[in-house]
Amino acid sequence: MRAKPNVSIVVLAAGLATRMGSNGGHKLLAMFDGMPLVRRSALVANASTALSIIVVVGHRQDDIREVLTGLPVHIIVNPDYRAGMSSSLAAGFAAAVADGADGVLILLADMPGISTDNLNQLIDAFQVADGAPIVCAASEGMPGNPVILPRSLNDSVLRLRGDIGARDLIRTSGLQVIEVEIGTAALTDVDTAEAIVAAGGIPVEDC
C-alpha cells in the first residue's frame, strides 16, 4: 500500500509589517492567548499532522527567533525579504521540497483564527486527493488562506516575483483546486493595530 503524500508547513514571518505604522510595533509580536502571534502560529502548525514546520524570517528576525525559542521548527532566513512575499514563499517552498515534502502548506503567520483542526482539514483533503491538486481554505465559497501547493509547482513558485502570494499561480496553474470550508478564519489576517484588537489580540508598541 502506497504511503500517503506528506505535507510540510511553511510559516511566512519575514514581512515588514508596514501597515502597523512607524511606532506600531510588529504585528507578529502582538499578544494572542498570552503569547506572541508568531509563536502561536508555529504552535498551531506544530500540533498538526504535517511532516515538518519551516518558519521563514527576515524583518526583525532576531525578535522573531527569540519568541520561537524551544519550538521544534526549522527557521530559515530570506535575505531578500524586502522584495516582497514571493521571495519568502519561494525560499520556504524550496526548503520544504528539499526535505521531501509532497505538498507545501503556506501559512501566513498573521492569521490568528487558524486552528490545528483547520490545518489538518486541508492536509486530509490533499492526501485523499493523492497529492495532486491545490487545496485552498475558503469561507462561504470565497477562497482564502492557508493553501497547499503540490511539489509539481516548484518551478512556478521559484519564478514568482514581487509582493504577491500564490493567488495568481493558483489561477494559472491548470491544476484542480479543492476548496475546504473553514469559516471566516480563512479571510482574517491582522495588518493593523485595529485589526489585532478586533481579533482579540493586544498590540505591542515599539519603544
Side-chain angles (χ1 to χ4, degrees):
M1 182 174 166
R2 195 166 66 160
K4 291 180 180 179
N6 59 56
V7 173
S8 288
I9 295 177
V10 170
V11 182
L12 298 184
L16 290 164
T18 53
R19 291 177 61 188
M20 290 294 293
S22 59
N23 66 341
H26 196 308
K27 62 183 178 180
L28 298 186
L29 301 177
M31 300 300 286
F32 282 84
D33 299 329
M35 69 186 74
L37 177 55
V38 67
R39 183 177 180 89
R40 184 187 180 281
S41 297
L43 282 168
V44 166
N46 190 61
S48 75
T49 59
L51 171 71
S52 62
I53 313 299
I54 296 166
V55 182
V56 184
V57 299
H59 177 58
R60 291 186 57 172
Q61 62 177 281
D62 291 343
D63 294 326
I64 300 295
R65 285 177 182 275
E66 184 177 351
V67 301
L68 294 176
T69 298
L71 298 186
V73 298
H74 178 202
I75 298 175
I76 65 171
V77 178
N78 172 21
D80 299 322
Y81 68 90
R82 290 183 181 275
M85 185 188 295
S86 63
S87 61
S88 294
L89 175 58
F93 196 96
V97 168
D99 284 346
D102 298 309
V104 183
L105 189 155
I106 307 300
L107 174 61
L108 308 182
D110 65 348
M111 300 187 74
I114 298 296
S115 69
T116 297
D117 285 345
N118 294 152
L119 300 181
N120 286 340
Q121 285 176 268
L122 296 168
I123 293 170
D124 288 346
F126 183 77
Q127 292 176 332
V128 167
D130 208 26
I134 294 167
V135 176
C136 176
S139 176
E140 297 183 353
M142 184 175 295
N145 287 295
V147 300
I148 299 179
L149 304 176
R151 66 181 297 148
S152 63
L153 290 178
N154 183 62
D155 290 348
S156 297
V157 171
L158 297 185
R159 286 196 297 268
L160 290 174
R161 294 292 183 272
D163 194 25
I164 59 172
R167 195 62 53 207
D168 288 343
L169 179 60
I170 291 170
R171 191 178 67 248
T172 60
S173 70
L175 297 179
Q176 178 190 9
V177 179
I178 296 175
E179 292 187 355
V180 176
E181 176 66 37
I182 67 168
T184 57
L187 305 177
T188 305
D189 59 6
V190 290
D191 284 332
T192 65
E194 292 78 11
I196 289 169
V197 172
I202 303 172
V204 178
E205 292 188 5
D206 286 336
C207 299

